Amino acid sequence: MAAKPPITNRVRELREEHGQMSQVALGEAVGVTRQTIIAIEQGRYSPSLETSFRISRLFGVGLEDVFGWEGE
């Protein structure tokens, strides 16, 4: 079993703040599957830099407002 990536995120929180956006809608908006969004939200998968930027821009916040480094 792979170690959990040290990257934290607020994707679920931001989805909920933006009109209860579904995981499917977010996935379609940024070009990934619902399963990928689930894995990101659960901290089991670190998105690519491109996907990270797409997510942060979609929510109108900076990259570091969405993603962080565990322990900081």
Short mmCIF file of all heavy atoms in Angstrom, two decimals:
data_model
loop_
_atom_site.label_atom_id
_atom_site.label_comp_id
_atom_site.label_asym_id
_atom_site.label_seq_id
_atom_site.Cartn_x
_atom_site.Cartn_y
_atom_site.Cartn_z
N MET A 1 0.84 -1.18 0.00
CA MET A 1 0.00 0.00 0.00
C MET A 1 0.88 1.24 0.00
O MET A 1 1.81 1.37 0.79
CB MET A 1 -0.91 -0.04 1.22
CG MET A 1 -1.90 1.07 1.28
SD MET A 1 -3.04 0.75 2.65
CE MET A 1 -3.96 2.23 2.61
N ALA A 2 0.56 2.18 -0.88
CA ALA A 2 1.34 3.40 -1.00
C ALA A 2 1.09 4.32 0.18
O ALA A 2 0.00 4.33 0.74
CB ALA A 2 0.99 4.10 -2.31
N ALA A 3 2.12 5.09 0.54
CA ALA A 3 1.97 6.06 1.62
C ALA A 3 1.05 7.18 1.17
O ALA A 3 1.01 7.54 0.01
CB ALA A 3 3.33 6.62 2.00
N LYS A 4 0.30 7.73 2.13
CA LYS A 4 -0.60 8.84 1.84
C LYS A 4 0.24 10.08 1.49
O LYS A 4 1.17 10.41 2.21
CB LYS A 4 -1.46 9.11 3.08
CG LYS A 4 -2.49 10.18 2.89
CD LYS A 4 -3.30 10.32 4.16
CE LYS A 4 -4.21 11.52 4.07
NZ LYS A 4 -4.95 11.76 5.29
N PRO A 5 -0.10 10.75 0.39
CA PRO A 5 0.65 11.96 0.02
C PRO A 5 0.55 13.01 1.12
O PRO A 5 -0.47 13.12 1.79
CB PRO A 5 -0.05 12.45 -1.25
CG PRO A 5 -0.89 11.32 -1.73
CD PRO A 5 -1.18 10.46 -0.54
N PRO A 6 1.61 13.82 1.32
CA PRO A 6 1.59 14.84 2.39
C PRO A 6 0.82 16.10 2.02
O PRO A 6 0.87 17.08 2.74
CB PRO A 6 3.08 15.15 2.58
CG PRO A 6 3.67 14.92 1.24
CD PRO A 6 2.90 13.76 0.64
N ILE A 7 0.07 16.05 0.94
CA ILE A 7 -0.66 17.24 0.48
C ILE A 7 -2.08 17.22 1.04
O ILE A 7 -2.79 16.24 0.92
CB ILE A 7 -0.69 17.29 -1.06
CG1 ILE A 7 0.73 17.43 -1.59
CG2 ILE A 7 -1.56 18.44 -1.54
CD1 ILE A 7 0.84 17.34 -3.08
N THR A 8 -2.47 18.34 1.67
CA THR A 8 -3.83 18.48 2.19
C THR A 8 -4.63 19.34 1.21
O THR A 8 -4.05 19.99 0.34
CB THR A 8 -3.81 19.17 3.57
OG1 THR A 8 -3.24 20.47 3.42
CG2 THR A 8 -3.01 18.37 4.57
N ASN A 9 -5.95 19.30 1.34
CA ASN A 9 -6.74 20.14 0.45
C ASN A 9 -8.09 20.50 1.07
O ASN A 9 -8.54 19.87 2.02
CB ASN A 9 -6.93 19.47 -0.91
CG ASN A 9 -7.89 18.30 -0.85
OD1 ASN A 9 -9.10 18.49 -0.84
ND2 ASN A 9 -7.37 17.08 -0.80
N ARG A 10 -8.71 21.53 0.49
CA ARG A 10 -10.02 22.01 0.91
C ARG A 10 -11.04 21.84 -0.22
O ARG A 10 -12.02 22.58 -0.29
CB ARG A 10 -9.94 23.48 1.29
CG ARG A 10 -9.05 23.78 2.47
CD ARG A 10 -9.01 25.28 2.80
NE ARG A 10 -10.32 25.88 2.83
CZ ARG A 10 -10.68 26.95 2.09
NH1 ARG A 10 -9.82 27.53 1.28
NH2 ARG A 10 -11.90 27.45 2.17
N VAL A 11 -10.82 20.88 -1.10
CA VAL A 11 -11.68 20.74 -2.27
C VAL A 11 -13.13 20.50 -1.87
O VAL A 11 -14.03 21.17 -2.39
CB VAL A 11 -11.16 19.62 -3.20
CG1 VAL A 11 -12.14 19.37 -4.33
CG2 VAL A 11 -9.79 19.98 -3.75
N ARG A 12 -13.37 19.59 -0.97
CA ARG A 12 -14.75 19.31 -0.57
C ARG A 12 -15.41 20.55 0.04
O ARG A 12 -16.55 20.88 -0.28
CB ARG A 12 -14.79 18.15 0.42
CG ARG A 12 -16.20 17.79 0.82
CD ARG A 12 -16.24 16.61 1.73
NE ARG A 12 -17.63 16.27 1.99
CZ ARG A 12 -18.04 15.11 2.40
NH1 ARG A 12 -17.18 14.14 2.59
NH2 ARG A 12 -19.31 14.88 2.62
N GLU A 13 -14.69 21.21 0.92
CA GLU A 13 -15.21 22.42 1.56
C GLU A 13 -15.55 23.48 0.51
O GLU A 13 -16.61 24.11 0.56
CB GLU A 13 -14.14 22.95 2.53
CG GLU A 13 -14.50 24.22 3.23
CD GLU A 13 -13.34 24.72 4.10
OE1 GLU A 13 -12.45 23.93 4.46
OE2 GLU A 13 -13.34 25.92 4.40
N LEU A 14 -14.68 23.67 -0.47
CA LEU A 14 -14.92 24.67 -1.51
C LEU A 14 -16.09 24.27 -2.40
O LEU A 14 -16.88 25.12 -2.82
CB LEU A 14 -13.65 24.88 -2.34
CG LEU A 14 -12.54 25.62 -1.60
CD1 LEU A 14 -11.21 25.49 -2.34
CD2 LEU A 14 -12.90 27.09 -1.42
N ARG A 15 -16.20 22.99 -2.68
CA ARG A 15 -17.36 22.50 -3.46
C ARG A 15 -18.65 22.84 -2.75
O ARG A 15 -19.62 23.32 -3.35
CB ARG A 15 -17.28 20.97 -3.62
CG ARG A 15 -16.80 20.49 -4.92
CD ARG A 15 -16.97 19.00 -5.15
NE ARG A 15 -16.93 18.10 -4.03
CZ ARG A 15 -18.00 17.59 -3.43
NH1 ARG A 15 -19.20 17.89 -3.84
NH2 ARG A 15 -17.87 16.74 -2.42
N GLU A 16 -18.67 22.59 -1.45
CA GLU A 16 -19.88 22.84 -0.66
C GLU A 16 -20.19 24.34 -0.58
O GLU A 16 -21.35 24.74 -0.57
CB GLU A 16 -19.74 22.23 0.73
CG GLU A 16 -19.73 20.71 0.67
CD GLU A 16 -19.41 20.03 1.99
OE1 GLU A 16 -19.08 20.73 2.98
OE2 GLU A 16 -19.49 18.81 2.05
N GLU A 17 -19.14 25.16 -0.51
CA GLU A 17 -19.33 26.61 -0.46
C GLU A 17 -19.84 27.17 -1.79
O GLU A 17 -20.38 28.26 -1.84
CB GLU A 17 -18.01 27.31 -0.11
CG GLU A 17 -17.60 27.14 1.33
CD GLU A 17 -16.24 27.77 1.63
OE1 GLU A 17 -15.66 28.42 0.74
OE2 GLU A 17 -15.77 27.59 2.76
N HIS A 18 -19.62 26.42 -2.85
CA HIS A 18 -20.02 26.88 -4.18
C HIS A 18 -21.28 26.12 -4.64
O HIS A 18 -21.28 25.42 -5.66
CB HIS A 18 -18.88 26.70 -5.18
CG HIS A 18 -17.81 27.72 -5.00
ND1 HIS A 18 -16.84 27.62 -4.02
CD2 HIS A 18 -17.56 28.88 -5.64
CE1 HIS A 18 -16.05 28.67 -4.07
NE2 HIS A 18 -16.46 29.45 -5.06
N GLY A 19 -22.33 26.28 -3.85
CA GLY A 19 -23.62 25.75 -4.24
C GLY A 19 -23.72 24.25 -4.25
O GLY A 19 -24.44 23.69 -5.08
N GLN A 20 -23.01 23.60 -3.34
CA GLN A 20 -23.07 22.14 -3.27
C GLN A 20 -22.71 21.51 -4.62
O GLN A 20 -23.35 20.56 -5.07
CB GLN A 20 -24.45 21.67 -2.81
CG GLN A 20 -24.85 22.16 -1.45
CD GLN A 20 -24.01 21.54 -0.33
OE1 GLN A 20 -23.60 20.40 -0.41
NE2 GLN A 20 -23.76 22.31 0.70
N MET A 21 -21.69 22.06 -5.27
CA MET A 21 -21.24 21.51 -6.56
C MET A 21 -20.97 20.01 -6.40
O MET A 21 -20.33 19.58 -5.44
CB MET A 21 -19.96 22.23 -7.01
CG MET A 21 -19.37 21.67 -8.30
SD MET A 21 -17.81 22.46 -8.72
CE MET A 21 -18.43 23.93 -9.47
N SER A 22 -21.46 19.23 -7.33
CA SER A 22 -21.25 17.78 -7.24
C SER A 22 -19.82 17.41 -7.64
O SER A 22 -19.13 18.18 -8.33
CB SER A 22 -22.24 17.04 -8.14
OG SER A 22 -21.89 17.22 -9.50
N GLN A 23 -19.42 16.25 -7.22
CA GLN A 23 -18.09 15.75 -7.61
C GLN A 23 -18.04 15.54 -9.12
O GLN A 23 -17.01 15.78 -9.75
CB GLN A 23 -17.78 14.45 -6.87
CG GLN A 23 -17.61 14.66 -5.39
CD GLN A 23 -17.62 13.38 -4.60
OE1 GLN A 23 -18.30 12.43 -4.96
NE2 GLN A 23 -16.86 13.35 -3.50
N VAL A 24 -19.15 15.12 -9.70
CA VAL A 24 -19.21 14.93 -11.16
C VAL A 24 -19.01 16.27 -11.87
O VAL A 24 -18.22 16.38 -12.82
CB VAL A 24 -20.55 14.29 -11.58
CG1 VAL A 24 -20.71 14.29 -13.09
CG2 VAL A 24 -20.66 12.88 -11.04
N ALA A 25 -19.73 17.30 -11.41
CA ALA A 25 -19.62 18.63 -12.03
C ALA A 25 -18.21 19.18 -11.92
O ALA A 25 -17.67 19.73 -12.89
CB ALA A 25 -20.62 19.59 -11.40
N LEU A 26 -17.60 19.02 -10.75
CA LEU A 26 -16.22 19.50 -10.59
C LEU A 26 -15.28 18.72 -11.50
O LEU A 26 -14.43 19.31 -12.18
CB LEU A 26 -15.78 19.37 -9.13
CG LEU A 26 -14.32 19.74 -8.85
CD1 LEU A 26 -14.02 21.17 -9.29
CD2 LEU A 26 -13.99 19.55 -7.38
N GLY A 27 -15.44 17.41 -11.54
CA GLY A 27 -14.59 16.59 -12.41
C GLY A 27 -14.70 17.00 -13.87
O GLY A 27 -13.70 17.16 -14.56
N GLU A 28 -15.94 17.23 -14.32
CA GLU A 28 -16.14 17.64 -15.72
C GLU A 28 -15.53 19.02 -15.98
O GLU A 28 -14.96 19.26 -17.03
CB GLU A 28 -17.63 17.65 -16.05
CG GLU A 28 -18.22 16.25 -16.16
CD GLU A 28 -19.72 16.25 -16.39
OE1 GLU A 28 -20.36 17.32 -16.37
OE2 GLU A 28 -20.25 15.15 -16.57
N ALA A 29 -15.63 19.90 -15.00
CA ALA A 29 -15.11 21.26 -15.17
C ALA A 29 -13.59 21.30 -15.26
O ALA A 29 -13.03 22.18 -15.92
CB ALA A 29 -15.60 22.15 -14.03
N VAL A 30 -12.93 20.38 -14.59
CA VAL A 30 -11.46 20.41 -14.58
C VAL A 30 -10.84 19.27 -15.37
O VAL A 30 -9.61 19.15 -15.45
CB VAL A 30 -10.90 20.42 -13.13
CG1 VAL A 30 -11.41 21.65 -12.38
CG2 VAL A 30 -11.23 19.15 -12.38
N GLY A 31 -11.68 18.42 -15.98
CA GLY A 31 -11.16 17.39 -16.89
C GLY A 31 -10.69 16.10 -16.25
O GLY A 31 -9.79 15.44 -16.78
N VAL A 32 -11.29 15.74 -15.12
CA VAL A 32 -10.97 14.45 -14.49
C VAL A 32 -12.27 13.74 -14.14
O VAL A 32 -13.36 14.30 -14.26
CB VAL A 32 -10.09 14.62 -13.21
CG1 VAL A 32 -8.78 15.30 -13.54
CG2 VAL A 32 -10.83 15.39 -12.13
N THR A 33 -12.17 12.51 -13.69
CA THR A 33 -13.35 11.74 -13.35
C THR A 33 -13.82 12.02 -11.92
O THR A 33 -13.06 12.56 -11.11
CB THR A 33 -13.08 10.22 -13.45
OG1 THR A 33 -12.11 9.87 -12.44
CG2 THR A 33 -12.57 9.84 -14.83
N ARG A 34 -15.05 11.61 -11.64
CA ARG A 34 -15.58 11.72 -10.27
C ARG A 34 -14.71 10.93 -9.30
O ARG A 34 -14.46 11.38 -8.18
CB ARG A 34 -17.01 11.20 -10.23
CG ARG A 34 -17.62 11.15 -8.85
CD ARG A 34 -19.06 10.63 -8.90
NE ARG A 34 -19.55 10.43 -7.56
CZ ARG A 34 -19.55 9.25 -6.93
NH1 ARG A 34 -19.12 8.17 -7.53
NH2 ARG A 34 -20.01 9.16 -5.71
N GLN A 35 -14.23 9.79 -9.74
CA GLN A 35 -13.38 8.96 -8.89
C GLN A 35 -12.09 9.70 -8.51
O GLN A 35 -11.59 9.57 -7.39
CB GLN A 35 -13.05 7.62 -9.57
CG GLN A 35 -14.22 6.66 -9.64
CD GLN A 35 -15.27 7.06 -10.70
OE1 GLN A 35 -14.96 7.77 -11.64
NE2 GLN A 35 -16.50 6.60 -10.52
N THR A 36 -11.56 10.47 -9.44
CA THR A 36 -10.35 11.24 -9.16
C THR A 36 -10.65 12.32 -8.13
O THR A 36 -9.87 12.53 -7.19
CB THR A 36 -9.79 11.86 -10.45
OG1 THR A 36 -9.45 10.81 -11.35
CG2 THR A 36 -8.56 12.72 -10.17
N ILE A 37 -11.80 12.99 -8.27
CA ILE A 37 -12.17 14.01 -7.28
C ILE A 37 -12.34 13.38 -5.90
O ILE A 37 -11.87 13.93 -4.90
CB ILE A 37 -13.48 14.74 -7.70
CG1 ILE A 37 -13.28 15.48 -9.03
CG2 ILE A 37 -13.96 15.69 -6.60
CD1 ILE A 37 -12.20 16.54 -9.01
N ILE A 38 -12.96 12.22 -5.85
CA ILE A 38 -13.11 11.52 -4.56
C ILE A 38 -11.75 11.23 -3.96
O ILE A 38 -11.51 11.47 -2.77
CB ILE A 38 -13.93 10.22 -4.74
CG1 ILE A 38 -15.38 10.56 -5.10
CG2 ILE A 38 -13.85 9.35 -3.49
CD1 ILE A 38 -16.19 9.35 -5.55
N ALA A 39 -10.84 10.71 -4.76
CA ALA A 39 -9.50 10.37 -4.26
C ALA A 39 -8.75 11.61 -3.78
O ALA A 39 -8.05 11.58 -2.76
CB ALA A 39 -8.70 9.64 -5.35
N ILE A 40 -8.90 12.72 -4.50
CA ILE A 40 -8.27 13.98 -4.08
C ILE A 40 -8.84 14.42 -2.74
O ILE A 40 -8.10 14.74 -1.81
CB ILE A 40 -8.47 15.08 -5.15
CG1 ILE A 40 -7.68 14.75 -6.42
CG2 ILE A 40 -8.04 16.45 -4.59
CD1 ILE A 40 -8.02 15.64 -7.62
N GLU A 41 -10.17 14.44 -2.62
CA GLU A 41 -10.81 14.89 -1.39
C GLU A 41 -10.44 14.02 -0.19
O GLU A 41 -10.33 14.51 0.93
CB GLU A 41 -12.34 14.90 -1.56
CG GLU A 41 -12.83 15.99 -2.46
CD GLU A 41 -14.34 16.05 -2.58
OE1 GLU A 41 -15.04 15.16 -2.03
OE2 GLU A 41 -14.84 16.97 -3.24
N GLN A 42 -10.24 12.74 -0.43
CA GLN A 42 -9.88 11.83 0.66
C GLN A 42 -8.38 11.82 0.94
O GLN A 42 -7.92 11.10 1.82
CB GLN A 42 -10.37 10.42 0.34
CG GLN A 42 -11.88 10.31 0.31
CD GLN A 42 -12.36 8.93 -0.08
OE1 GLN A 42 -11.60 8.10 -0.60
NE2 GLN A 42 -13.63 8.66 0.16
N GLY A 43 -7.62 12.60 0.16
CA GLY A 43 -6.17 12.67 0.38
C GLY A 43 -5.43 11.44 -0.09
O GLY A 43 -4.28 11.22 0.30
N ARG A 44 -6.07 10.65 -0.94
CA ARG A 44 -5.40 9.44 -1.44
C ARG A 44 -4.67 9.68 -2.75
O ARG A 44 -3.94 8.81 -3.23
CB ARG A 44 -6.43 8.32 -1.67
CG ARG A 44 -7.09 7.83 -0.40
CD ARG A 44 -8.01 6.64 -0.65
NE ARG A 44 -9.22 7.05 -1.36
CZ ARG A 44 -9.53 6.68 -2.62
NH1 ARG A 44 -8.72 5.89 -3.28
NH2 ARG A 44 -10.63 7.09 -3.20
N TYR A 45 -4.85 10.86 -3.34
CA TYR A 45 -4.26 11.15 -4.64
C TYR A 45 -3.89 12.63 -4.71
O TYR A 45 -4.67 13.49 -4.32
CB TYR A 45 -5.27 10.82 -5.74
CG TYR A 45 -4.82 11.18 -7.13
CD1 TYR A 45 -3.87 10.41 -7.79
CD2 TYR A 45 -5.34 12.29 -7.78
CE1 TYR A 45 -3.44 10.74 -9.06
CE2 TYR A 45 -4.92 12.62 -9.06
CZ TYR A 45 -3.98 11.85 -9.69
OH TYR A 45 -3.57 12.18 -10.95
N SER A 46 -2.70 12.89 -5.20
CA SER A 46 -2.26 14.28 -5.39
C SER A 46 -2.49 14.64 -6.85
O SER A 46 -1.92 14.00 -7.75
CB SER A 46 -0.77 14.44 -5.07
OG SER A 46 -0.54 14.15 -3.72
N PRO A 47 -3.30 15.67 -7.11
CA PRO A 47 -3.57 16.03 -8.50
C PRO A 47 -2.34 16.63 -9.18
O PRO A 47 -1.43 17.11 -8.51
CB PRO A 47 -4.68 17.07 -8.37
CG PRO A 47 -4.48 17.67 -7.04
CD PRO A 47 -3.96 16.56 -6.17
N SER A 48 -2.36 16.59 -10.51
CA SER A 48 -1.27 17.22 -11.27
C SER A 48 -1.30 18.72 -11.01
O SER A 48 -2.32 19.28 -10.53
CB SER A 48 -1.46 16.96 -12.77
OG SER A 48 -2.60 17.68 -13.24
N LEU A 49 -0.22 19.37 -11.34
CA LEU A 49 -0.16 20.82 -11.17
C LEU A 49 -1.23 21.49 -12.02
O LEU A 49 -1.91 22.43 -11.57
CB LEU A 49 1.23 21.34 -11.55
CG LEU A 49 1.52 22.81 -11.26
CD1 LEU A 49 1.28 23.15 -9.80
CD2 LEU A 49 2.95 23.13 -11.66
N GLU A 50 -1.44 21.00 -13.24
CA GLU A 50 -2.46 21.57 -14.12
C GLU A 50 -3.85 21.43 -13.50
O GLU A 50 -4.63 22.39 -13.46
CB GLU A 50 -2.43 20.87 -15.48
CG GLU A 50 -3.48 21.41 -16.43
CD GLU A 50 -3.47 20.72 -17.79
OE1 GLU A 50 -2.48 20.02 -18.10
OE2 GLU A 50 -4.44 20.86 -18.52
N THR A 51 -4.18 20.25 -13.01
CA THR A 51 -5.49 20.05 -12.39
C THR A 51 -5.63 20.90 -11.13
O THR A 51 -6.69 21.46 -10.87
CB THR A 51 -5.70 18.56 -12.05
OG1 THR A 51 -5.63 17.81 -13.26
CG2 THR A 51 -7.03 18.32 -11.37
N SER A 52 -4.55 21.05 -10.38
CA SER A 52 -4.59 21.89 -9.18
C SER A 52 -4.92 23.33 -9.54
O SER A 52 -5.76 23.98 -8.89
CB SER A 52 -3.24 21.84 -8.45
OG SER A 52 -2.95 20.52 -8.05
N PHE A 53 -4.29 23.83 -10.58
CA PHE A 53 -4.58 25.21 -11.02
C PHE A 53 -6.02 25.31 -11.52
O PHE A 53 -6.71 26.29 -11.24
CB PHE A 53 -3.61 25.65 -12.13
CG PHE A 53 -2.37 26.31 -11.60
CD1 PHE A 53 -1.18 25.62 -11.57
CD2 PHE A 53 -2.41 27.62 -11.14
CE1 PHE A 53 -0.02 26.23 -11.09
CE2 PHE A 53 -1.27 28.23 -10.64
CZ PHE A 53 -0.07 27.53 -10.62
N ARG A 54 -6.48 24.31 -12.26
CA ARG A 54 -7.87 24.36 -12.76
C ARG A 54 -8.87 24.41 -11.60
O ARG A 54 -9.85 25.15 -11.64
CB ARG A 54 -8.15 23.15 -13.66
CG ARG A 54 -7.45 23.21 -14.99
CD ARG A 54 -7.78 22.00 -15.86
NE ARG A 54 -7.00 21.97 -17.06
CZ ARG A 54 -7.31 22.61 -18.18
NH1 ARG A 54 -8.40 23.34 -18.22
NH2 ARG A 54 -6.52 22.53 -19.23
N ILE A 55 -8.62 23.62 -10.57
CA ILE A 55 -9.51 23.60 -9.41
C ILE A 55 -9.49 24.96 -8.70
O ILE A 55 -10.54 25.53 -8.40
CB ILE A 55 -9.13 22.46 -8.43
CG1 ILE A 55 -9.43 21.10 -9.07
CG2 ILE A 55 -9.86 22.62 -7.09
CD1 ILE A 55 -8.89 19.90 -8.29
N SER A 56 -8.31 25.48 -8.44
CA SER A 56 -8.23 26.76 -7.72
C SER A 56 -8.85 27.89 -8.53
O SER A 56 -9.56 28.74 -7.98
CB SER A 56 -6.78 27.08 -7.33
OG SER A 56 -6.00 27.31 -8.47
N ARG A 57 -8.63 27.91 -9.84
CA ARG A 57 -9.21 28.97 -10.67
C ARG A 57 -10.73 28.84 -10.75
O ARG A 57 -11.44 29.85 -10.77
CB ARG A 57 -8.60 28.95 -12.07
CG ARG A 57 -7.17 29.45 -12.04
CD ARG A 57 -6.55 29.44 -13.40
NE ARG A 57 -5.20 29.95 -13.29
CZ ARG A 57 -4.64 30.73 -14.20
NH1 ARG A 57 -5.29 31.04 -15.28
NH2 ARG A 57 -3.42 31.17 -14.03
N LEU A 58 -11.21 27.61 -10.80
CA LEU A 58 -12.66 27.40 -10.84
C LEU A 58 -13.33 28.00 -9.60
O LEU A 58 -14.39 28.62 -9.69
CB LEU A 58 -12.97 25.91 -10.93
CG LEU A 58 -14.45 25.54 -10.96
CD1 LEU A 58 -15.05 25.91 -12.33
CD2 LEU A 58 -14.66 24.09 -10.69
N PHE A 59 -12.68 27.87 -8.46
CA PHE A 59 -13.24 28.40 -7.21
C PHE A 59 -12.84 29.86 -6.97
O PHE A 59 -13.24 30.46 -5.98
CB PHE A 59 -12.82 27.53 -6.03
CG PHE A 59 -13.44 26.16 -6.04
CD1 PHE A 59 -12.66 25.02 -5.88
CD2 PHE A 59 -14.81 25.99 -6.22
CE1 PHE A 59 -13.22 23.76 -5.89
CE2 PHE A 59 -15.39 24.73 -6.23
CZ PHE A 59 -14.59 23.61 -6.06
N GLY A 60 -12.01 30.41 -7.83
CA GLY A 60 -11.62 31.81 -7.72
C GLY A 60 -10.71 32.10 -6.54
O GLY A 60 -10.76 33.18 -5.96
N VAL A 61 -9.87 31.12 -6.19
CA VAL A 61 -8.94 31.30 -5.08
C VAL A 61 -7.53 30.89 -5.54
O VAL A 61 -7.36 30.31 -6.60
CB VAL A 61 -9.35 30.45 -3.85
CG1 VAL A 61 -10.69 30.90 -3.31
CG2 VAL A 61 -9.38 28.97 -4.18
N GLY A 62 -6.56 31.23 -4.72
CA GLY A 62 -5.19 30.87 -5.04
C GLY A 62 -4.92 29.39 -4.78
O GLY A 62 -5.65 28.72 -4.05
N LEU A 63 -3.87 28.91 -5.40
CA LEU A 63 -3.50 27.50 -5.26
C LEU A 63 -3.32 27.09 -3.80
O LEU A 63 -3.77 26.03 -3.38
CB LEU A 63 -2.21 27.26 -6.05
CG LEU A 63 -1.84 25.85 -6.43
CD1 LEU A 63 -2.93 25.19 -7.26
CD2 LEU A 63 -0.53 25.83 -7.18
N GLU A 64 -2.67 27.96 -3.02
CA GLU A 64 -2.42 27.63 -1.62
C GLU A 64 -3.66 27.81 -0.74
O GLU A 64 -3.64 27.43 0.43
CB GLU A 64 -1.25 28.45 -1.08
CG GLU A 64 0.06 28.01 -1.71
CD GLU A 64 1.27 28.60 -1.03
OE1 GLU A 64 1.25 28.73 0.21
OE2 GLU A 64 2.22 28.94 -1.74
N ASP A 65 -4.73 28.36 -1.30
CA ASP A 65 -6.00 28.40 -0.58
C ASP A 65 -6.73 27.07 -0.72
O ASP A 65 -7.67 26.79 0.01
CB ASP A 65 -6.89 29.53 -1.12
CG ASP A 65 -6.31 30.90 -0.84
OD1 ASP A 65 -5.76 31.09 0.26
OD2 ASP A 65 -6.38 31.75 -1.73
N VAL A 66 -6.31 26.27 -1.69
CA VAL A 66 -6.92 24.96 -1.91
C VAL A 66 -6.03 23.84 -1.37
O VAL A 66 -6.51 22.94 -0.69
CB VAL A 66 -7.18 24.69 -3.41
CG1 VAL A 66 -7.86 23.34 -3.61
CG2 VAL A 66 -7.99 25.81 -4.03
N PHE A 67 -4.73 23.94 -1.63
CA PHE A 67 -3.82 22.87 -1.28
C PHE A 67 -2.77 23.33 -0.28
O PHE A 67 -2.33 24.48 -0.31
CB PHE A 67 -3.12 22.34 -2.53
CG PHE A 67 -4.08 21.78 -3.54
CD1 PHE A 67 -4.51 22.55 -4.61
CD2 PHE A 67 -4.59 20.50 -3.40
CE1 PHE A 67 -5.43 22.05 -5.53
CE2 PHE A 67 -5.52 20.00 -4.31
CZ PHE A 67 -5.93 20.77 -5.37
N GLY A 68 -2.40 22.43 0.60
CA GLY A 68 -1.38 22.72 1.58
C GLY A 68 -0.45 21.53 1.76
O GLY A 68 -0.66 20.47 1.16
N TRP A 69 0.56 21.72 2.57
CA TRP A 69 1.52 20.68 2.86
C TRP A 69 1.32 20.25 4.30
O TRP A 69 1.34 21.11 5.19
CB TRP A 69 2.96 21.19 2.64
CG TRP A 69 3.98 20.11 2.65
CD1 TRP A 69 4.78 19.76 3.70
CD2 TRP A 69 4.32 19.24 1.58
NE1 TRP A 69 5.59 18.71 3.34
CE2 TRP A 69 5.34 18.38 2.04
CE3 TRP A 69 3.86 19.11 0.27
CZ2 TRP A 69 5.90 17.39 1.23
CZ3 TRP A 69 4.42 18.13 -0.51
CH2 TRP A 69 5.43 17.29 -0.04
N GLU A 70 1.07 18.99 4.52
CA GLU A 70 0.79 18.48 5.85
C GLU A 70 1.89 18.89 6.83
O GLU A 70 3.07 18.77 6.53
CB GLU A 70 0.67 16.96 5.81
CG GLU A 70 0.04 16.37 7.04
CD GLU A 70 -0.30 14.93 6.82
OE1 GLU A 70 -1.31 14.66 6.17
OE2 GLU A 70 0.46 14.08 7.28
N GLY A 71 1.48 19.38 7.98
CA GLY A 71 2.45 19.77 8.99
C GLY A 71 2.72 21.26 8.99
O GLY A 71 3.40 21.77 9.85
N GLU A 72 2.21 21.98 8.03
CA GLU A 72 2.43 23.45 7.98
C GLU A 72 1.17 24.18 8.32
O GLU A 72 0.10 23.75 8.18
CB GLU A 72 2.91 23.86 6.60
CG GLU A 72 4.30 23.37 6.32
CD GLU A 72 4.81 23.89 4.97
OE1 GLU A 72 4.12 24.65 4.28
OE2 GLU A 72 5.92 23.52 4.64
#
